Amino acid sequence: MTVEPAGESGEDDGDSVVYDLASDCTETDVEQDQPYLAEINGIVDYGVFVDLSDSVSGLVHESVLEGTYAVGDELVVELEAVRDNGDMAFEPVDIEEYTVEPVSHDYTLTGTDRLEGNVGDQIHLEGKIVQVKQTAGPTIFHVADEQGVVPCAAFEEAGVRAFPAVEVGDVVRVTGTPEHREGSVQIEVDGLSTLDGEDAEEARERLEDALEERAEPHDVEPLIDWPAFEKLRPNLKEVAKLLRRTVLEGRPIRVRHHADGDGMCAAVPVQIALERFIADVHEDEDAPRHLIKRLPAKAPFYEMEDATRDLNFALEDREKHGQQLPLLLMLDNGSTAEDVPAYETLAHYDIPIVAVDHHHPDPDAVGELLDAHVNPYLHDEDYRITTGMCCVELARMIYPDLTDELRHVPAVAGLSDRSKANAMDDYLELAAEEGYDEDRLKDLSEALDYAAFWLRYNSGDQLIQDLLQVDGNDEERHRELVSFFADRAREEVDEQLDAAMPHVEREELDNDAHLYRIDVENHAHRFTYPAPGKTTGEIHDRKIEETGDPVITVGYGPDFAVLRSDGVRLDIPNMVSELEEEIPGGGVSGGGHLVVGSIKFVKGKREDVIDALVEKMADADIDEELSSAALIDD
Ligand code: MN
């Protein structure tokens, strides 16, 4: 109980004091053996009902009453008893002369970290509204304070919005009772009001300071010692902070990743790290499921189809579930000029975008549109630092407890993208310590690729986790599943190549590189595994074994070509922009890595485009010093 200085009739020092509860006072402000000013609000045979505040009222029994009373009369009472059912009984205090002392409510706050110990007791909480979901029953306000986020259920009428003036972003004071509900703690709301003026400002400042502090990523020792990687670490830390902050703000996160081995080695650890952090922050058990979605992207860039679908889902979730618009996290994807139209689509709304990628970037094109961008090329490094390697460290900065489950993942990522990084030896050794020899890792990489192909537009959350053996526990099934998929993948590649190899055409280029061409549309099975990109890659690998470097392989269809090269200094993104200009009406677009990529064009210009392409390849320098990249990229 907080007693403020007397407001009225305080002139007579000898007077007794009677307390006057402010309208927002609750039962907790009422003390035994103290007189309170009450107002009669009803008269019945057995006594009168009195109000001490908006929520404190009770009965004065007729047996203790004298005289006559009318509704609206003032009466000085003290607490006689609180009955088992919670009803309060008062008795009159015989007192003529008194001083009134106003009592304001004691708003001692109980943080979301102390709800469990206060289940069943009324508490107060201050925080920011991060989501307002209308159910068929109550309205659920998700409130974030310094420690976490808790759902607060306010009931007006079934399906009717309670406190309609209160919106996402408001700073509020909630009075209510924590209760267990389906394994989570939820607050049953008695009162909810928007703070304003100085109170709001103070609360906002306090919440912001706490948010800033909690968003700070963990300082983790890198899994391996790798100076080149250290250049990316400050950027990754920024992204870790941004993602942790996004979770603390209750904003959903949508992850789009390249649908290949490296892309999944990047996205799955980050997804799990975020899910676990969300579970720590949110009282609502279902929060991880509702706040993070991982989705594969078939192309090595953000396609308009994906962007418009993502936007549509985000707007629907805002409408249906009162969620904030999401943050978009692009992994192993999202660094190039081809991403721009999709990004510009999202830029019409409040959707922050972050990209972690190792495809050759076009920072001038995407820089303005991204809230954060991590890419080894921005630090004079290259694709050999794969996105999976980056994202294992990112996941550990977000949720370090995950580390023991991730030690084998960078090696899988590196093998999937055929990284020739010096650090691969260290990563392989790290994986070997966990029982993953190179064959097992290669199987894992094949299996991921195979699963990604058949999952198409689905994330396959559990299946991929079982394959990658992250957050998993059935080791035997994991091993069997991986070998089964890896064997199937290899058989299907063999079948595809049995059909295709006899149709591969060979040509000697002016720069002495071997050029192999294959019409994958007519001489390979369609709509099955492996897809044209991987088919071309497998042919390429076999030809290198046959003839040695330098080798370029082109797999083409009616309106596309896939390129792979070894030992030749190609710059595919640059070749694409030259072709765009040199072949009017060719409709040329594309990109990818420097030496591995794909090009699209219009069907009627195929001959012109491919002839021009071959000329450019014949002009390219031979790479003497190292047989360079050999990445798979559909
Ligand atoms: Mn990659």
Side-chain angles (χ1 to χ4, degrees):
M1 186 174 78
T2 314
V3 176
E4 285 174 1
E8 43 188 296
S9 59
E11 63 274 290
D12 190 346
D13 275 341
D15 282 353
S16 313
V17 169
V18 169
Y19 298 107
D20 182 15
L21 296 184
S23 60
D24 58 349
C25 281
T26 67
E27 288 177 23
T28 56
D29 299 305
V30 179
E31 290 182 17
Q32 293 277 348
D33 303 323
Q34 297 291 342
Y36 292 96
L37 204 57
E39 185 181 319
I40 295 174
N41 76 6
I43 299 176
V44 290
D45 288 348
Y46 50 91
V48 299
F49 283 102
V50 292
D51 289 336
L52 280 69
S53 74
D54 285 353
S55 67
V56 180
S57 52
L59 178 73
V60 184
H61 198 262
E62 54 91 14
S63 62
V64 293
L65 281 171
E66 281 171 21
T68 52
Y69 297 94
V71 169
D73 282 359
E74 275 191 352
L75 190 65
V76 178
V77 298
E78 62 181 37
L79 184 63
E80 184 201 347
V82 179
R83 310 262 180 246
D84 290 345
N85 63 4
D87 284 354
M88 296 176 105
F90 293 97
E91 53 190 6
V93 179
D94 190 13
I95 183 171
E96 290 291 319
E97 298 277 312
Y98 54 83
T99 308
V100 174
E101 280 200 10
V103 175
S104 60
H105 180 48
D106 183 3
Y107 275 110
T108 299
L109 301 177
T110 303
T112 49
D113 56 336
R114 293 194 291 127
L115 298 177
E116 195 60 53
N118 285 283
V119 165
D121 298 330
Q122 194 182 58
I123 56 122
H124 302 290
L125 184 87
E126 275 178 13
K128 195 172 176 180
I129 303 276
V130 297
Q131 185 185 349
V132 182
K133 182 180 165 113
Q134 183 59 51
T135 69
T139 308
I140 311 288
F141 296 89
H142 292 259
V143 179
D145 75 353
E146 296 96 314
Q147 285 84 27
V149 182
V150 65
C152 302
F155 190 76
E156 176 70 39
E157 228 178 281
V160 174
R161 173 72 145 80
F163 304 103
V166 176
E167 290 170 4
V168 168
D170 287 350
V171 173
V172 295
R173 176 181 293 154
V174 181
T175 298
T177 311
E179 301 287 358
H180 286 130
R181 199 183 152 77
E182 288 160 15
S184 313
V185 172
Q186 173 178 298
I187 292 176
E188 307 293 336
V189 174
D190 298 318
L192 191 153
S193 55
T194 310
L195 295 180
D196 40 36
E198 252 176 57
D199 287 351
E201 224 167 274
E202 252 173 56
R204 265 182 210 283
E205 229 168 79
R206 204 176 63 229
L207 292 167
E208 175 58 30
D209 288 350
L211 193 68
E212 208 34 40
E213 201 184 314
R214 288 196 79 200
E216 205 52 53
H218 293 264
D219 248 323
V220 289
E221 278 289 304
L223 283 181
I224 63 164
D225 201 14
W226 187 6
F229 187 89
E230 288 310 303
K231 299 193 229 168
L232 279 71
R233 188 169 282 275
N235 271 332
L236 282 171
K237 240 183 143 174
E238 260 172 56
V239 171
K241 181 163 185 178
L242 190 54
L243 294 175
R244 282 175 61 92
R245 194 185 160 95
T246 303
V247 168
L248 293 167
E249 287 175 332
R251 189 196 271 269
I253 296 173
R254 200 166 176 95
V255 181
R256 278 279 178 190
H257 64 90
H258 195 200
D260 68 356
D262 181 44
M264 285 192 290
C265 288
V268 172
V270 172
Q271 178 191 10
I272 296 174
L274 288 169
E275 280 174 355
R276 294 201 190 163
F277 186 49
I278 292 170
D280 283 356
V281 168
H282 287 256
E283 292 293 334
D284 179 5
E285 271 204 323
D286 294 331
R289 199 159 50 83
H290 292 147
L291 290 176
I292 182 157
K293 281 236 152 22
R294 175 179 67 80
L295 288 162
K298 283 285 169 191
F301 63 92
Y302 195 27
E303 290 181 288
M304 209 50 165
E305 185 180 351
D306 290 343
T308 49
R309 288 169 62 93
D310 288 346
L311 180 57
N312 183 43
F313 278 119
L315 294 172
E316 276 181 12
D317 284 346
R318 184 172 68 174
E319 188 62 29
K320 274 195 239 159
H321 308 301
Q323 280 188 342
Q324 299 168 64
L325 293 177
L327 174 143
L328 174 75
L329 177 60
M330 299 290 293
L331 298 178
D332 197 25
N333 210 330
S335 283
T336 68
E338 287 182 283
D339 297 289
V340 167
Y343 288 164
E344 283 176 342
T345 304
L346 301 189
H348 290 88
Y349 295 86
D350 168 31
I351 300 180
I353 307 173
V354 174
V356 182
D357 193 8
H358 71 147
H359 289 80
H360 196 261
D362 193 337
D364 292 340
V366 294
E368 292 276 286
L369 293 156
L370 294 175
D371 290 82
H373 189 191
V374 183
N375 192 308
Y377 287 96
L378 302 175
H379 305 272
D380 296 319
E381 295 296 333
D382 59 27
Y383 77 92
R384 287 175 291 187
I385 299 179
T386 77
T387 315
M389 295 168 185
C390 292
C391 285
V392 164
E393 293 297 335
L394 176 62
R396 296 177 62 232
M397 291 172 184
I398 295 168
Y399 207 86
D401 290 358
L402 201 53
T403 297
D404 285 344
E405 294 163 68
L406 300 180
R407 290 182 205 279
H408 62 295
V409 176
V412 181
L415 290 174
S416 295
D417 268 5
R418 303 179 189 213
S419 168
K420 298 269 163 61
N422 295 329
M424 271 310 284
D425 288 344
D426 290 344
Y427 278 136
L428 289 171
E429 203 176 301
L430 197 66
E433 285 165 16
E434 303 293 312
Y436 292 85
D437 61 24
E438 201 167 332
D439 285 341
R440 189 176 167 201
L441 293 168
K442 279 185 176 150
D443 278 3
L444 192 39
S445 154
E446 287 288 343
L448 281 178
D449 212 40
Y450 187 71
F453 179 83
W454 293 116
L455 279 167
R456 296 183 196 279
Y457 298 101
N458 292 315
S459 62
D461 283 329
Q462 192 59 58
L463 178 61
I464 297 300
Q465 286 182 23
D466 289 350
L467 281 175
L468 203 50
Q469 191 64 355
V470 177
D471 201 15
N473 39 32
D474 193 337
E475 161 110 24
E476 198 182 319
R477 188 185 48 213
H478 151 77
R479 281 179 180 271
E480 285 170 3
L481 198 60
V482 167
S483 346
F484 174 73
F485 275 177
D487 290 347
R488 286 290 326 158
R490 290 191 182 110
E491 269 171 46
E492 288 172 34
V493 166
D494 286 345
E495 275 169 37
Q496 181 77 297
L497 264 58
D498 283 348
M501 285 309 263
H503 305 282
V504 176
E505 291 165 20
R506 181 173 173 278
E507 195 177 316
E508 199 79 31
L509 296 179
D510 290 347
N511 56 6
D512 293 334
H514 308 284
L515 171 68
Y516 295 98
R517 299 199 212 193
I518 172 76
D519 177 349
V520 286
E521 178 77 4
N522 290 308
H523 300 301
H525 298 289
R526 299 167 64 203
F527 312 118
T528 188
Y529 188 85
K534 176 140 176 126
T535 302
T536 306
E538 294 287 342
I539 292 170
H540 179 76
D541 290 347
R542 293 194 186 190
K543 289 300 178 190
I544 291 176
E545 264 180 45
E546 264 178 49
T547 55
D549 290 350
V551 172
I552 302 172
T553 307
V554 181
Y556 58 89
D559 58 358
F560 69 89
V562 185
L563 307 176
R564 294 279 312 269
S565 78
D566 261 78
V568 188
R569 288 182 192 269
L570 294 187
D571 181 346
I572 294 173
N574 188 42
M575 280 163 52
V576 169
S577 34
E578 283 177 15
L579 288 172
E580 261 175 284
E581 273 182 30
E582 290 165 18
I583 305 179
V588 177
S589 68
H593 292 287
L594 287 179
V595 294
V596 178
S598 58
I599 296 182
K600 280 194 256 174
F601 38 79
V602 293
K603 211 167 153 185
K605 283 287 202 177
R606 179 169 84 174
E607 298 312 317
D608 293 357
V609 172
I610 292 190
D611 287 350
L613 194 61
V614 170
E615 252 175 66
K616 289 184 190 303
M617 290 170 173
D619 286 345
D621 291 337
I622 299 304
D623 200 336
E624 305 287 356
E625 53 190 87
L626 82 163
S627 120
S628 79
L631 286 163
I632 295 177
D633 243 318
D634 306 72

